[in-house]
């Protein structure tokens, strides 16, 4: 029986805590979850993905089979996401995650 996740003999390449083999696998699961304590650009984008029903950009790309996410060139924030029911969420250029919402954002570690 073949082990799941990678081919036998295939080397694992480290890329910032995530392996490139794991990034390509469609059944990638987070190893731990923490909550955001303070707002940042990363938290802003996670908030937008989670509003649309995804854990993060990794899950969005796996589910929707897209290579790039639409972003505002000025800020780098996510501009548009397609939910699982195929409706679209459109976001502003400015910050949308208010301070009172920051603690609701989940940060997934792989």
């Amino acid at each position: 029986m073949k082990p799941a996740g990678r081919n036998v003999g295939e080397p694992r390449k480290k890329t910032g805590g995530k392996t490139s083999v794991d990034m390509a696998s469609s059944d990638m699961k987070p190893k731990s979850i923490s909550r955001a304590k303070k707002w940042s650009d990363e938290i802003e984008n996670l908030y937008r993905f989670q509003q649309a029903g995804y854990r993060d950009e990794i899950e969005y790309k796996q589910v929707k089979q897209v290579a790039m996410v639409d972003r505002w060139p000025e800020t780098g924030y996510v501009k548009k996401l397609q939910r699982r029911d195929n409706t679209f969420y459109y976001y502003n250029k400015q910050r949308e995650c208010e301070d009172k919402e920051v603690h609701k954002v989940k940060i997934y570690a792989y």
Side-chain angles (χ1 to χ4, degrees):
M1 192 160 158
K2 188 174 165 184
R6 68 180 178 104
N7 295 328
V8 176
E10 182 179 344
R12 289 187 167 256
K13 299 178 187 110
K14 290 288 183 183
T15 55
K18 303 168 196 155
T19 63
S20 57
V21 172
D22 290 337
M23 293 292 286
S25 100
S26 62
D27 60 345
M28 191 167 146
K29 303 260 189 276
K31 298 214 182 324
S32 66
I33 303 170
S34 60
R35 296 279 183 168
K37 306 279 189 257
K38 182 171 121 175
W39 184 89
S40 69
D41 290 343
E42 178 187 6
I43 299 304
E44 179 67 35
N45 281 325
L46 284 172
Y47 174 79
R48 293 172 186 221
F49 282 108
Q50 291 170 18
Q51 287 291 303
Y54 301 95
R55 285 191 304 253
D56 50 26
E57 186 172 354
I58 295 167
E59 184 184 37
Y60 180 77
K61 287 180 175 180
Q62 287 173 350
V63 171
K64 289 299 175 185
Q65 299 293 307
V66 295
M68 296 291 292
V69 176
D70 290 338
R71 295 183 182 273
W72 289 104
E74 300 90 347
T75 60
Y77 297 151
V78 173
K79 183 177 187 177
K80 176 181 75 172
L81 293 173
Q82 188 174 10
R83 292 183 357 179
R84 293 174 195 262
D85 64 0
N86 292 327
T87 57
F88 285 90
Y89 273 6
Y90 294 91
Y91 297 99
N92 295 323
K93 292 178 192 175
Q94 299 86 14
R95 173 181 174 174
E96 291 197 10
C97 179
E98 297 178 22
D99 285 335
K100 66 181 182 182
E101 302 288 321
V102 168
H103 73 282
K104 297 179 184 177
V105 177
K106 296 177 184 176
I107 305 167
Y108 294 90
Y110 294 93

